[in-house]
């Protein structure tokens, strides 16, 4: 096929003046006669396109595509169908019946389009005069094209030259207002696009840096934000862009293009995502400052903005210079799309046109060649079909395998032969494989609503086209796969960093969900399993639309959780979609009063029920969370109605689930360890402080370390006998289980030994022996132990032993502070200790302060609080209660340094009332 395009110019009269034939017109009066139209043609030709077609059957479809693309490119969509029908008939007469080359010339003028079809068999009889009956019956091939010309064309005729016969027809353009570029036919009201009573068009202007600079009233009504709340903010803060790692264009890139149309979402002030259809135009002001004007409507009202799609013009088989063109470019057209989705969509559209089909589809094989995944379709419900998967070997024989061409004359005779076409109304279909180096890479198919449309000849033509594009499709697929893998690697690295940054179980669950929605799925749910004897528990649910979370959570709580199968990989879980469908059906029936109940009580719940059914109505998959050879939960991912997961997305989700499972198990182990530590710490401290007549007692304890690590500091106040009370405050060297063992030993041994009637030195000497008996687990211990006896005169007598511990401080009523004991050797170091006790009398109003070294060794750089600093603080506590004294000491210690305490702290304050 050879084509040429010559813009402008006055058309030369192609016919010799001596052989000028009459022009034929349809008899509007219905008399059946043909009239001669001798009006001169004075229209100016503004463009022309020419093509030459070989005398083979496939040239008819190629000629149709040539005329369709030419007229659509000129903007004459109104007359494309008539022109294609007439051209198809005339080219069929030339290349099939006459067996010669066919030359097609398209001429564009001010008032219409003239198309000329010339063959090289001028001797063939053409009926020019007489009644239409001489042209033959419409059922026979000869003359049918001329009958159609007479019925459809505004003017038509036949020209002869010594070597050509040319049949031409002219189609007049419909009347349009001045300036009209495209127009559609008048339609009945019930066929018009559905829109709200008032269509709101949001006008948003974005400045050079991507921030919103203008926001009209319709934008405020659509999305709920007043202008002053959004102006100056980046549009990316509001846009919910459909994103797949490593593949999709982002909103930032779209705003930089000179023109862009497409769909995305805007998150409204309520948190719900509103799907919109957008038209972007990049402009500049008088100062040269660029900005982008965005027109936004609700997605179901996209007809207001959407530009009618035009099929890109195809390249001819040969160039104007007579050189053969690339067969791939002949089929796809030039320039070929540089992205995989665009290439696949162009492929199915060209395959549909080549075989004059009603629909076409293309599937790509998975890496193991066991399944085919739908990647492009035309004439089919693509939202339902996209990413659906079918097995390569669907049945025995060549018709059950995608590796061989197959022709189905009538799908009604073999139900289910092509599952993708179930319920679509398609009757006949032809499918061919795409192969590269003998390996199956995909499958291409076309289908028609009428039966018996295709034979082996069409299968061979489609296979020829599939062979031309298979390598280009595979190269584009590998390129997309590489970009996806790079994006997936970045995604997994970021996910690992986030998961490793927390040991909190609830936060880990939230991160798992937030990383999958909306990047990998529309919604997700996480089930956890406490132990092997427990059932899965629904722990977290997330949807990209926050208003649907409660509905999905309620739905999942009413159905049995998925089985905790440890087998790796994603498996389909049909229960949520089935349950949502049943719930929506019951709600709809109740709203219609079909169950006998009142309708007003349930009508308010129909909307949420249907919304939930739509949200979970697509494919749902379950991935096990396996850590340390145990299933600890399941990650459930879902799509909305009729949507499927891509194989690459499922592989990425499987990698994420392995990392998330380990992070979740680490969080579980850490939580268990923290709980054990806190329980053990509580067991080492007294349950309550006894009430002592005439004496106020206050204790403050602060355990250092994240999760309150078990420490070595302890205290105790306990009754020994009537009117006698023991008190102790100590510090075991180190932390952890060994220190905790000594701490527990010391506290419980003090109580037992003191109640045996032993004196203070005897109690500590026996405790020292018990610590040394611990062997390698032993730790040295500093301990302040004393016995208190309240006196009848209101004072209190204390007998104190200070074994290596910070000395207790006595605060008198006059504000003086002094040590209340002398230092003695610590415990757990020497076997033979000679300890003694000292007697101290506290007068009414006196305070005895006992602390651990975490208080006195509080540091800020090189400065340390020390015993002197503690004494200075205590001098300011005259007249305070025991509780107030302890609180002031703690505040002073905390304010002394800005860093968190690195050691346990215990404060015991006793005041004689």
């Amino acid at each position: 096929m050879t084509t040429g395009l010559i813009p402008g110019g006055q058309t030369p009269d192609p016919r010799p003046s001596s052989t000028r034939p009459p022009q034929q017109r349809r008899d509007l009066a219905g008399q059946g006669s043909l009239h001669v139209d001798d009006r001169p043609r004075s229209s100016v030709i503004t463009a022309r396109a020419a093509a030459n077609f070989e005398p083979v059957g496939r040239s008819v479809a190629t000629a149709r595509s040539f005329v369709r693309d030419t007229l659509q490119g000129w903007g004459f969509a109104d007359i494309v169908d008539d022109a294609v029908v007439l051209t198809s008939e005339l080219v069929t007469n030339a290349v099939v019946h006459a067996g010669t080359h066919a030359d097609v010339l398209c001429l564009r003028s001010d008032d219409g389009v003239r198309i000329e079809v010339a063959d090289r068999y001028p001797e063939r009889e053409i009926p020019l005069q007489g009644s239409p009956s001489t042209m033959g019956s419409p059922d026979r091939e000869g003359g049918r094209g001329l009958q159609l010309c007479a019925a459809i064309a505004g003017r038509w005729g036949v020209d002869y030259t010594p070597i050509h016969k040319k049949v031409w027809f002219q189609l007049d353009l419909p009347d349009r207002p001045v300036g009209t570029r495209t127009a559609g036919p008048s339609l009945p009201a019930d066929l018009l696009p559905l829109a709200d009573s008032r269509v709101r068009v949001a006008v948003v202007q974005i400045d050079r840096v991507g921030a919103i600079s203008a926001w009209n009233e319709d934008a405020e009504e659509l999305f709920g934000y007043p202008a002053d709340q959004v102006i100056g903010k980046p549009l990316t803060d509001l846009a919910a862009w459909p994103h797949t790692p490593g593949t999709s264009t982002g909103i930032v890139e779209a705003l930089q293009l000179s023109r862009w149309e497409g769909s995305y979402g805007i998150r409204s002030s309520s948190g719900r995502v509103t799907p919109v259809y957008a038209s972007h135009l990049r402009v500049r002001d008088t100062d040269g400052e660029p900005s982008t004007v965005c027109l936004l409507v609700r997605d179901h009202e996209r007809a207001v903005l959407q530009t009618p799609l035009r099929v890109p013009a195809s390249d001819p088989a040969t160039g104007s210079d007579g050189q053969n063109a690339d067969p791939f470019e002949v089929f796809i057209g030039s320039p070929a799309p540089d992205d995989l989705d665009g290439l696949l969509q162009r492929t199915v559209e060209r395959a549909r046109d080549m075989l004059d089909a009603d629909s076409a589809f293309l599937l790509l094989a998975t890496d193991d060649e066991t399944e085919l995944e739908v990647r492009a379709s035309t004439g089919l419900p693509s939202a339902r079909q996209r990413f659906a998967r079918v097995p390569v070997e669907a049945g025995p024989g060549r018709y059950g395998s995608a590796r061989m061409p197959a022709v189905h004359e009538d799908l009604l005779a073999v139900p289910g032969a092509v599952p993708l076409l179930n319920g679509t109304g398609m009757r006949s279909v032809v499918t061919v494989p795409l192969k590269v180096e003998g390996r199956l890479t995909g499958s291409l198919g076309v289908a028609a609503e009428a039966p018996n449309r295709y034979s082996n000849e069409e299968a061979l033509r489609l296979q020829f086209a599939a062979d031309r594009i298979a390598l280009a499709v595979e190269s584009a697929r590998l390129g997309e796969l590489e970009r996806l893998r790079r994006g997936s690697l970045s995604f997994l690295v970021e996910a690992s960093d986030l998961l490793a940054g927390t040991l909190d179980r609830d936060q880990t669950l939230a991160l798992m969900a937030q990383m999958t929605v909306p990047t990998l799925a529309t919604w997700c749910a996480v089930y956890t399993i406490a132990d092997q004897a427990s059932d899965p528990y629904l722990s977290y649910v997330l949807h990209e639309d926050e208003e649907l979370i409660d509905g999905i959570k309620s739905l999942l709580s009413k159905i049995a959780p998925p089985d905790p199968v440890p087998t790796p990989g994603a498996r389909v879980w049909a229960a949520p979609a089935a349950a949502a469908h049943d719930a929506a059906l019951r709600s709809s029936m109740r709203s219609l009063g079909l169950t006998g109940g009142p309708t007003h009580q349930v009508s308010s719940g129909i909307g949420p029920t249907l919304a939930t059914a739509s949200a979970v109505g697509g494919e749902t998959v379950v991935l096990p969370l396996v850590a340390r050879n145990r299933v600890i939960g399941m990650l459930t991912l879902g799509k909305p109605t009729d949507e499927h997961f891509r194989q690459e997305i499922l592989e990425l989700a499987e990698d994420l689930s392995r990392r998330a499972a380990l992070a979740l198990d680490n969080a579980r182990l850490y939580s268990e360890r923290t709980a054990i530590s806190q329980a053990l710490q509580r067991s080492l401290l007294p349950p309550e402080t006894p009430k002592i007549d005439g004496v106020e007692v206050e204790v403050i304890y602060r355990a250092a370390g994240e999760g309150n690590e078990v420490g070595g500091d302890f205290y105790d106040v306990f009754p020994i006998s009537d009117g006698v009370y023991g008190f102790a405050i100590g510090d075991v060297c180190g932390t952890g289980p060994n220190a905790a063992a000594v701490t527990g030993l010391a506290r419980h041994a003090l109580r037992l030994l003191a109640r045996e009637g032993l004196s203070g030195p005897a109690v500590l000497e026996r405790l020292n022996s018990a610590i040394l008996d611990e062997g390698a687990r032993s730790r040295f211990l500093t301990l302040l132990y004393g016995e208190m006896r309240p006196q009848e005169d209101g004072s209190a007598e204390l007998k104190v032993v200070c074994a290596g511990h910070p000395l207790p401080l006595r605060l008198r009523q006059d504000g003086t502070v002094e040590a209340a004991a002398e230092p003695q050797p610590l415990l757990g170091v020497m076997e033979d200790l000679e300890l003694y006790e000292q007697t101290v009398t506290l007068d009414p109003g006196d305070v005895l302060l006992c602390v651990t070294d975490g208080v006195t060794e509080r540091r800020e750089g090189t400065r340390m609080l020390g015993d002197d600093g503690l004494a200075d603080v205590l001098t300011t506590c005259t007249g305070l209660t025991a509780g107030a004294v302890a609180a002031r000491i703690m505040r002073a210690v905390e304010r002394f340094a800005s860093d968190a305490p690195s050691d346990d702290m215990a404060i015991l304050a006793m005041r004689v009332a």
Side-chain angles (χ1 to χ4, degrees):
M1 182 183 76
T2 304
T3 66
L5 183 64
I6 305 99
Q10 180 76 25
T11 179
D13 192 342
R15 300 168 297 174
S17 59
S18 59
T19 59
R20 186 180 184 94
Q23 294 177 309
Q24 309 290 341
R25 287 184 61 92
R26 183 182 180 186
D27 183 8
L28 301 179
Q31 300 301 319
S33 61
L34 296 174
H35 298 275
V36 176
D37 186 356
D38 292 326
R39 292 178 297 175
R41 292 181 290 110
S42 60
S43 298
V44 175
I45 301 300
T46 57
R48 68 174 66 201
N52 174 264
F53 302 94
E54 297 177 351
V56 292
R58 63 176 178 271
S59 294
V60 178
T62 309
R64 287 198 298 266
S65 297
F66 164 71
V67 172
R68 180 184 293 108
D69 295 345
T70 299
L71 298 190
Q72 286 181 337
W74 288 347
F76 297 157
D78 304 51
I79 60 174
V80 165
D81 292 338
D82 289 345
V84 168
V85 169
L86 297 180
T87 302
S88 179
E89 292 297 330
L90 297 180
V91 173
T92 299
N93 290 338
V95 302
V96 176
H97 302 302
T100 74
H101 284 73
D103 299 319
V104 178
L105 175 65
C106 300
L107 302 173
R108 183 181 69 185
S109 62
D110 297 335
D111 57 351
V113 172
R114 175 185 169 105
I115 297 178
E116 300 176 352
V117 179
D119 62 40
R120 301 176 186 179
Y121 192 9
E123 300 84 7
R124 187 170 177 81
E125 179 182 0
I126 297 295
L128 296 179
Q129 304 292 339
S131 66
S133 60
T134 61
M135 297 182 184
S137 169
D139 294 331
R140 58 185 293 264
E141 295 293 334
R144 187 172 65 180
L146 299 180
Q147 281 189 292
L148 289 175
C149 288
I152 297 176
R155 293 189 294 274
W156 70 279
V158 182
D159 296 342
Y160 285 97
T161 68
I163 59 173
H164 287 84
K165 176 182 83 273
K166 183 185 304 178
V167 181
W168 61 270
F169 61 91
Q170 180 164 330
L171 298 173
D172 298 328
L173 297 178
D175 293 333
R176 297 179 184 170
V178 175
T180 301
R181 181 175 179 182
T182 61
S186 299
L187 295 175
D190 56 350
L191 297 182
L192 295 176
L194 184 64
D196 293 343
S197 58
R198 177 184 173 186
V199 177
R200 297 187 179 275
V201 180
V203 181
V204 183
Q205 193 155 3
I206 312 299
D207 62 18
R208 178 195 293 268
V209 297
I212 299 172
S213 59
W215 184 269
N216 72 341
E217 293 182 357
D218 280 357
E220 181 176 341
E221 289 292 331
L222 285 175
F223 311 123
Y225 299 104
D228 56 356
Q229 286 189 10
V230 296
I231 289 180
K233 292 185 178 180
L235 182 62
T236 52
D237 290 354
L238 306 180
W241 190 264
H243 179 62
T244 299
T247 59
S248 294
T249 300
I251 183 67
V252 176
E253 291 81 3
L255 291 174
Q256 298 299 318
L257 300 176
S258 60
R259 287 201 69 92
W260 185 88
E261 281 190 29
S263 299
Y264 50 87
I266 295 292
R267 192 172 297 279
S268 64
S269 59
S270 64
R272 184 172 185 175
V273 175
T274 301
V276 298
Y277 189 82
S279 176
H280 297 176
L281 175 65
R282 190 79 165 161
V283 298
R284 61 185 174 91
D285 59 19
T286 54
D287 297 328
E289 183 69 16
S291 62
T292 303
V293 177
C294 306
L295 304 182
L296 310 174
V297 297
R298 295 182 181 91
D299 192 64
H300 66 274
E301 297 169 346
R302 61 170 55 197
V304 176
L305 299 180
Q306 190 172 29
T307 301
L309 298 176
R310 294 181 179 177
V311 180
S314 61
D315 281 351
T318 57
S320 58
D321 57 357
Q323 298 296 323
N324 290 331
D326 183 358
F328 168 76
E329 293 293 343
V330 171
F331 179 72
I332 293 297
S334 180
D338 56 1
D339 65 297
L340 178 62
D341 289 337
L343 177 60
L344 299 183
Q345 193 61 35
R346 178 84 64 86
T347 298
V348 296
E349 291 172 356
R350 291 308 169 89
R352 176 197 61 189
D353 293 342
M354 184 179 72
L355 296 187
D356 198 18
D358 296 310
S359 63
F361 51 90
L362 192 149
L363 304 88
L364 295 183
T366 55
D367 291 339
D368 57 5
E369 297 184 26
T370 60
E371 289 185 314
L372 294 168
E373 185 177 68
V374 179
R375 290 299 302 271
S377 64
T378 181
L380 295 174
S382 58
R384 181 186 67 181
Q385 304 292 340
R386 188 165 172 80
F387 300 126
R389 290 179 296 277
V390 297
V392 170
E393 306 293 343
R398 61 171 292 185
Y399 294 107
S401 174
R403 304 180 188 275
M404 298 292 292
V407 178
H408 294 279
E409 296 178 348
D410 193 350
L411 292 178
L412 292 183
V414 281
V418 184
L420 291 177
L421 300 181
N422 290 345
T424 61
M426 300 298 156
R427 296 283 298 276
S428 53
V429 61
V430 54
T431 60
V432 296
L434 275 68
K435 293 185 177 181
V436 175
E437 298 179 350
R439 182 173 60 88
L440 180 69
T441 60
S443 178
L444 177 63
V446 298
E449 296 178 353
N452 304 315
R453 283 283 299 275
Y454 304 117
S455 62
N456 289 338
E457 179 182 354
E458 284 77 14
L460 291 175
R461 292 175 58 194
L462 190 61
Q463 185 66 71
F464 179 80
D467 293 341
R468 301 284 76 76
I469 66 167
L471 183 59
V473 169
E474 181 65 4
S475 298
R477 188 188 72 86
L478 292 177
E480 182 196 61
L481 186 60
E482 180 61 25
R483 291 191 299 272
L484 179 62
R485 284 173 177 170
R486 288 199 299 268
S488 300
L489 181 60
S490 300
F491 173 77
L492 291 174
V493 169
E494 181 180 359
S496 299
D497 290 342
L498 291 173
L499 291 171
T502 178
L503 288 173
D504 182 82
R505 175 183 176 276
D506 293 338
Q507 189 173 1
T508 302
L509 290 172
L511 284 174
M512 290 171 57
Q514 292 166 7
M515 285 185 293
T516 57
V517 176
T519 304
L520 304 181
T522 305
W523 64 274
C524 83
V526 183
Y527 290 86
T528 56
I529 303 175
D531 52 61
Q532 295 181 349
S534 301
D535 294 328
Y537 174 75
L538 181 62
S539 299
Y540 202 92
V541 175
L542 183 65
H543 191 281
E544 62 181 9
D545 187 347
E546 296 177 359
E547 294 186 0
L548 297 177
I549 294 177
D550 291 338
I552 297 176
K553 186 181 299 183
S554 175
L555 175 71
L556 295 179
S557 64
K558 297 176 182 177
I559 61 177
D563 295 330
V565 179
T567 306
R571 69 182 191 275
V572 177
W573 186 31
H581 175 76
D582 292 343
L585 181 60
R586 288 193 299 269
S587 296
S588 299
M589 294 179 65
R590 287 197 301 267
S591 69
L592 298 174
L594 299 180
T595 59
T599 60
H600 62 86
Q601 296 180 357
V602 297
S603 59
S604 60
I606 295 175
T609 303
L610 295 179
T612 302
S614 176
V616 302
E619 187 175 39
T620 301
V621 297
V622 178
L623 298 105
L625 298 175
V626 180
R628 298 175 176 89
N629 298 322
R630 187 175 74 87
V631 180
I632 63 171
M634 288 88 69
L635 176 63
T636 302
L637 306 179
K639 287 282 190 179
T641 300
D642 295 332
E643 290 193 18
H644 300 265
F645 285 98
R646 296 180 58 176
Q647 185 64 33
E648 294 86 351
I649 295 298
L650 293 179
E651 293 173 358
L652 178 58
E654 185 177 356
D655 286 340
L656 176 63
S657 68
R658 287 195 289 268
R659 290 165 169 79
L662 186 59
L664 184 61
D665 199 45
N666 289 339
R668 177 187 63 82
L669 293 175
Y670 180 78
S671 299
E672 291 179 356
R673 179 187 175 190
T674 301
I676 294 172
S677 175
Q678 292 173 344
L680 180 57
Q681 184 71 63
R682 288 191 296 269
S683 71
L684 300 178
L685 301 177
E688 60 182 9
T689 302
K691 295 182 179 180
I692 304 176
D693 294 337
V695 179
E696 299 174 359
V697 179
E698 182 66 27
V699 177
I700 296 179
Y701 182 85
R702 294 285 188 273
E706 185 177 358
N708 293 338
E709 182 74 30
V710 174
D713 288 11
F714 69 96
Y715 68 90
D716 200 359
V717 179
F718 56 93
I720 297 176
S721 59
D722 291 341
V724 181
Y725 297 88
F727 64 91
I729 185 168
D731 185 2
V732 177
C733 174
T735 60
N738 290 334
V742 177
T743 301
L745 172 65
R747 193 175 75 82
H748 293 95
L750 284 175
R751 289 195 174 208
L752 291 174
L753 294 173
R755 288 169 178 170
E756 290 295 326
L758 300 176
S759 64
V763 169
L764 268 60
E765 289 170 1
R766 295 196 180 188
L767 176 60
N768 180 65
S769 299
I771 294 174
L772 292 176
D773 290 341
E774 289 293 307
R777 294 189 303 171
S778 66
R779 292 285 190 275
F780 65 80
L781 167 67
T782 68
L783 180 64
L784 172 65
Y785 173 75
E787 295 179 358
M788 174 185 293
R789 292 179 173 85
Q791 304 297 311
E792 294 181 357
D793 60 358
S795 63
E797 181 184 81
L798 282 69
K799 294 182 178 181
V800 182
V801 180
C802 186
H805 199 77
L807 299 178
L809 299 179
R810 175 183 181 181
L811 172 65
R812 295 182 181 275
Q813 291 185 357
D814 58 3
T816 59
V817 175
E818 60 183 4
E822 296 176 354
Q824 300 185 58
L826 51 77
L827 308 181
V829 177
M830 298 179 292
E831 292 185 1
D832 297 327
L833 288 179
E834 293 183 2
L835 302 175
Y836 58 91
E837 62 184 10
Q838 296 174 274
T839 302
V840 178
T841 301
L842 297 180
D843 296 327
D846 289 354
V847 175
L848 184 71
L849 177 67
C850 310
V851 300
T852 59
D853 59 4
V855 174
T856 57
E857 295 180 1
R858 178 71 164 151
R859 294 180 180 273
E860 174 67 20
T862 59
R863 297 169 49 241
M864 186 172 70
L865 179 63
D867 295 334
D868 295 338
L870 179 62
D872 292 340
V873 177
L874 185 58
T875 57
T876 65
C877 298
T878 304
L880 299 181
T881 63
V885 171
R888 179 169 292 186
I889 297 297
M890 180 57 71
R891 284 198 302 270
V893 172
E894 291 175 343
R895 293 172 181 174
F896 185 80
S898 57
D899 296 337
S902 58
D903 195 4
D904 299 339
M905 293 185 294
I907 299 174
L908 172 61
M910 295 182 291
R911 178 180 179 271
V912 178

